[in-house]
Each structure stands twice: as structure tokens, then as C-alpha cells.
Amino acid sequence: MIKDIAIGKMKSASNYVITFLKWALISIIIGVVGGCVGALFHMSVNYANIIFTMHDWFVLFLPIGGIIIVAMYKACKMLENKGTDSIISSIRNDEKVPISLAPLIFVSTVITHLCGGSAGREGAALQLGGSIGSNIGRLFKLDEKDMHMVVMCGMSAVFSALFGTPITAAVFALGVTSVGIMYYSALVPCLMSSLAAFLVTRFAGLEPTQFAITVIPQTGVITILQTILISALCAELSIIFCATMHYTARYLKIWFKNPYIRVVVGALAIIALTYLTGSRDYNGSGMDIIEHAVVGGHAKGWAWVLKIVFTAITIGAGFKGGEIVPTFFIGATFGCVVGHLFGLNPGFAAAIGMIAMFCGVLNCPIASIVLSIELFGSKGFILFAIAAGVSYMLSGYYGLYSSQKIMYSKLRAEYINKDTK
């Protein structure tokens, strides 16, 4: 009897050890591959932005860039691919992520940035990572449940490689698919993948994304109230941004059914807006504008409005990239402006705006809080946590990714299982 119990315990323990070793191997491979691809992608996008900054007349080539992007997706029969939404959907079902998605999103995002389209890079990161993870999973002949986990590992890896935020990358991948549910079984694999990718990028000489906030106010009643007010406004702004992104894409497809015409019209609109504003601040990712807002405490009054317009047209017309860096831009510039009005240090208010907007559009409060530590350090942790919580509750059921599901109500302990708006 005792012998049987001992054997049973040993078998149970060995299952855990074998499973751990299995995922250590798979996740590290995904992390290394994702880190290498992510590092190359990071350098390519940065180089594209540098070229555009040096030769901003490249914006005139935006229509040609758009035609090339559409032609590539059409040649690969992926015009109807929903991008990041398809990656998120694949985690919940057995939908396969095509291997061609990785090179397509890589090249098309670089073209978008080279020609001055207003986009980020994380949408490409999630698609690159999902494609890498899915195809490595097929090589290992994993079953359906494990395939979902390798997609999350891939997302974590490339997200970590691009931003240098490994913990945020892992937590984000665990919670972005189904809001209210964390896939804890994927915690260790996602952490291993994101950390492996992070180490690869550090070896390649890429520095993580971090901002040095010059002034962090003491946590007091007034500061808390100021933080709540800015976060509440950012929550409403996140709704406006999500709605603008969705409706712009929808109506551009209705008005211009031909994807070539649609992308050219969008490109011409961006060119016109670029010359009307007389600035290149709203083209590309705008990381320099974000840094000016957070570190220097300076932002133009309507920069956040213009970035919404530029990004909605760029992505809605068919260009590729992502929405999270533009979200940072909008949050940082808006927070900086209202920080001046409310008496809160504008640089710190810009940082609060970034975290509140990130949480508002992605519905990931835990990832948002972790992100605040990785981007700004731990000194303002309490205020950033308040910002994430307020924004999460007041942003309703809106989100950038329509395939994201809100599993539990934001207002009460109730299972609702509804798609984001």
C-alpha cells in the first residue's frame, strides 16, 4: 500500500518535472527566435524612422508604399486577414496562424514607417510573435491546447524584444485575450519566452524603453484626486480613440471597396494633413514626442487630437503597424496638457496619461501597472495603480481589438462574456 502511494507520488512529481522541462525547451526556443526577429524588426523600424526624419519628403511615396502593401497581401491571399485580431482569436480556437504573416507584417510595417504613416510597431510584434510561436508549435507537433500557449509565448517574446518590458509582455499575453481570466498555465512559458527575447535584444545592444521622470509628487489627497481626474478623462479619451479607429476603418471600406483605391486615398489624406499642419510630429511612431512630454513636460495643445486622426486614417486605409505606441503618444500629450491645467507636474501627468490610455484601450489593468514600473520605476507605483484601475472601470467595454472578450463585468461580480466594442 505504502509502495503504491509512493509510486503514485513519484509519477505525479515526474509529470510536473517533465512538463516544466518540455515548456522550458519550447519557450526558450520561441524566445530566442522571437528575440532575434524582434531585434531585427526593432532596428529596421528605427532605421526607417531615421530615414524619414532625414528625408521627410518620403511622405510623397506613401501612396506607392500602400499599393505595394496591398499587392503583397493580395498575392498571399491575406487581404481579409484581421491582423492582431486573428492572433487573439487563434488562442481561443484552433484557427491556424499562417507562416506568411510574419514576413508580410514585417515588411509592410517598415514600409509604413519609411513613408511616414502614423502607426506603432506592437501590432506587428504580436502578429510576428503569434506566427513564430504557432509555427514552432507545429514543428513540435503540439496538440490544440498547447498550440494556444505557444502563440502566447510568441506574443510575449516579440513584445518583450520591441519594448524591453519582459514582465509586462508576459502578463499582457496572459490577459489580453479574455479580460477577467488569466491563463496561469502559460505563466512560466510566457515568462521564459519574454525573458529569453529580452536577453537576446540586450546582447544585440538594444536598450529597453524607459523614461526618466524628473518629478514624482508625494502621494497625498490632492495628488490622488488629480490622478483620478486625469485617468477618468483618459478613459473617455480611450473610448473616443477606439471608436474613431473602428469607424474610420469601417467607413473607408464602405466608401472605397477597392483596397488599392482605399489605401491611395488614405495616403493622400495623410500627405495633405502633413503639409497642412506643417509638422512631421504626427507621422511615424512619435517616440520623440512622447519623450518630450514625459521627460521635458512639453506638448502641443492639440497634438493628441491630430495623432488620433493620423493614426485612424493610416491603419483604416490599410497600412500596417500598431496602435499601442500611438496610444502612448495620445496619452502622454493629453496628460501633459491637462497636467498643466490641474496643477500636476506635466511630465508626471504625461506618464499617468500613458498608463491610463494603455489600460483603457486594452483592458489589461495588471499589465498596465507592471508596465508603469518597467517604464518609469516604482516610485509612483500607487498613483499609477490608481490610474490603471480608474481607467479600466470607466473605459467601458471598448477596446482596440474586436476579438478581445470581456469575460466578467467591470461593475459587478457577474459573468458576461461579451466582445469589445
Side-chain angles (χ1 to χ4, degrees):
M1 186 67 162
I2 295 176
K3 181 180 178 180
D4 291 340
I5 293 174
I7 291 172
K9 293 288 185 182
M10 289 177 64
K11 284 183 178 180
S12 177
S14 66
N15 286 336
Y16 283 97
V17 173
I18 291 169
T19 301
F20 177 82
L21 294 175
K22 163 192 164 183
W23 280 109
L25 173 65
I26 295 172
S27 57
I28 289 173
I29 290 173
I30 292 173
V32 171
V33 175
C36 291
V37 174
L40 179 60
F41 181 65
H42 187 286
M43 291 185 283
S44 299
V45 171
N46 280 356
Y47 191 55
N49 278 302
I50 290 170
I51 293 175
F52 177 75
T53 302
M54 295 171 61
H55 309 286
D56 55 20
W57 50 270
F58 268 39
V59 72
L60 298 174
F61 292 111
L62 194 58
I64 297 173
I67 290 171
I68 293 172
I69 290 171
V70 172
M72 288 192 304
Y73 272 79
K74 188 172 183 178
C76 295
K77 299 179 180 180
M78 292 185 63
L79 272 178
E80 300 304 318
N81 183 272
K82 295 181 179 179
T84 305
D85 276 311
S86 65
I87 300 297
I88 292 175
S89 295
S90 70
I91 297 173
R92 279 197 301 267
N93 53 47
D94 58 357
E95 180 181 338
K96 291 183 178 180
V97 180
I99 192 170
S100 58
L101 180 61
L104 275 176
I105 192 64
F106 189 115
V107 175
S108 58
T109 300
V110 172
I111 291 173
T112 299
H113 282 264
L114 181 65
C115 298
S118 177
R121 56 196 182 192
E122 79 302 322
L126 298 179
Q127 293 174 56
L128 277 169
S131 180
I132 290 168
S134 178
N135 286 284
I136 288 177
R138 288 178 205 167
L139 289 177
F140 280 93
K141 298 181 179 179
L142 300 179
D143 61 24
E144 180 185 335
K145 301 295 183 184
D146 286 348
M147 285 295 292
H148 298 167
M149 289 175 63
V150 292
V151 171
M152 286 190 277
C153 287
M155 291 167 64
S156 300
V158 185
F159 191 105
S160 174
L162 283 186
F163 289 99
T165 54
I167 311 303
T168 301
V171 176
F172 174 76
L174 296 178
V176 70
T177 306
S178 303
V179 178
I181 294 177
M182 297 285 282
Y183 293 94
Y184 289 113
S185 57
L187 176 60
V188 171
C190 284
L191 275 173
M192 287 186 172
S193 291
S194 62
L195 288 170
F198 176 73
L199 292 175
V200 168
T201 56
R202 294 309 301 272
F203 180 78
L206 299 177
E207 293 297 322
T209 303
Q210 292 178 332
F211 299 93
I213 303 177
T214 54
V215 177
I216 298 178
Q218 293 292 324
T219 304
V221 174
I222 300 299
T223 310
I224 289 173
L225 291 175
Q226 290 169 325
T227 300
I228 290 173
L229 182 56
I230 292 174
S231 304
L233 292 174
C234 284
E236 302 311 305
L237 184 57
S238 71
I239 294 174
I240 294 171
F241 181 46
C242 290
T244 303
M245 293 295 294
H246 295 322
Y247 282 113
T248 301
R250 182 184 304 175
Y251 283 108
L252 283 176
K253 286 183 178 179
I254 293 172
W255 295 336
F256 308 101
K257 297 186 184 300
N258 186 303
Y260 289 103
I261 296 175
R262 183 164 62 245
V263 80
V264 169
V265 169
L268 293 175
I270 294 297
I271 293 171
L273 287 168
T274 299
Y275 283 100
L276 282 172
T277 59
S279 172
R280 304 298 186 269
D281 289 351
Y282 315 107
N283 304 91
S285 62
M287 288 298 292
D288 54 334
I289 307 300
I290 296 171
E291 188 165 358
H292 288 157
V294 175
V295 179
H298 304 293
K300 295 178 182 177
W302 295 100
W304 52 278
V305 177
L306 291 170
K307 191 62 175 178
I308 291 175
V309 174
F310 271 73
T311 305
I313 294 173
T314 299
I315 301 299
F319 291 94
K320 304 300 177 182
E323 303 91 350
I324 292 181
V325 175
T327 295
F328 287 158
F329 183 114
I330 295 162
T333 53
F334 179 78
C336 185
V337 170
V338 297
H340 276 291
L341 298 176
F342 298 153
L344 187 64
N345 176 268
F348 183 75
I352 290 292
M354 285 177 66
I355 297 304
M357 278 294 295
F358 179 85
C359 187
V361 301
L362 295 176
N363 298 294
C364 295
I366 306 303
S368 301
I369 295 169
V370 175
L371 178 67
S372 73
I373 298 172
E374 293 191 305
L375 289 183
F376 310 114
S378 60
K379 288 186 178 179
F381 171 77
I382 294 175
L383 296 174
F384 286 119
I386 291 170
V390 170
S391 180
Y392 174 74
M393 182 176 183
L394 297 183
S395 59
Y397 300 118
Y398 289 81
L400 284 176
Y401 307 131
S402 57
S403 61
Q404 187 182 47
K405 282 189 176 291
I406 309 290
M407 306 305 292
Y408 287 90
S409 169
K410 294 187 178 185
L411 303 177
R412 60 175 65 89
E414 179 183 10
Y415 179 77
I416 58 174
N417 188 23
K418 66 184 297 182
D419 295 326
T420 54
K421 300 178 183 178

